[in-house]
Amino acid sequence: MAHMIGAVFGALVAMFLVSRATLWLFKRLGDRPARILTAHAVACGAAVILGGFGFANGGPPAFGYAASFYVLPTLVWLAVDLLGWKGRAAKAPPAADLP
């Protein structure tokens, strides 16, 4: 049980850091939901691929096992980022008010 708590906490921290890095890499896409979805998809894909090889332990890659660790934390941070975007979009002035 303690192993699973540590693994879930580690996956949350790891996906937070990886998703922040991918959001930074995709900043040219602007502050849109497409950027957030793309960044999180790339972050999750990278985590599953790297985690699959890491969990292999000398055997075949364990991509399914890695996905079971990293998909849920990715969805958590995706929801947080989409809610943050929604809040930023609600506070933004209408396009007609911009010079």
Side-chain angles (χ1 to χ4, degrees):
M1 181 66 177
H3 164 6
M4 289 304 294
I5 293 171
V8 168
F9 182 72
L12 278 169
V13 171
M15 289 313 301
F16 174 77
L17 295 173
V18 174
S19 67
R20 298 307 108 182
T22 55
L23 282 168
W24 179 76
L25 287 173
F26 290 116
K27 65 183 174 185
R28 290 183 63 203
L29 295 177
D31 192 22
R32 304 180 311 155
R35 170 188 173 226
I36 296 169
L37 292 171
T38 303
H40 283 279
V42 169
C44 187
V48 168
I49 290 170
L50 294 174
F53 286 118
F55 288 128
N57 199 21
F63 298 122
Y65 188 67
S68 71
F69 271 91
Y70 295 116
V71 169
L72 185 59
T74 300
L75 293 175
V76 168
W77 294 121
L78 174 64
V80 168
D81 287 338
L82 286 175
L83 287 172
W85 173 81
K86 186 176 177 183
R88 287 189 306 274
K91 290 182 181 180
D97 294 345
L98 296 175

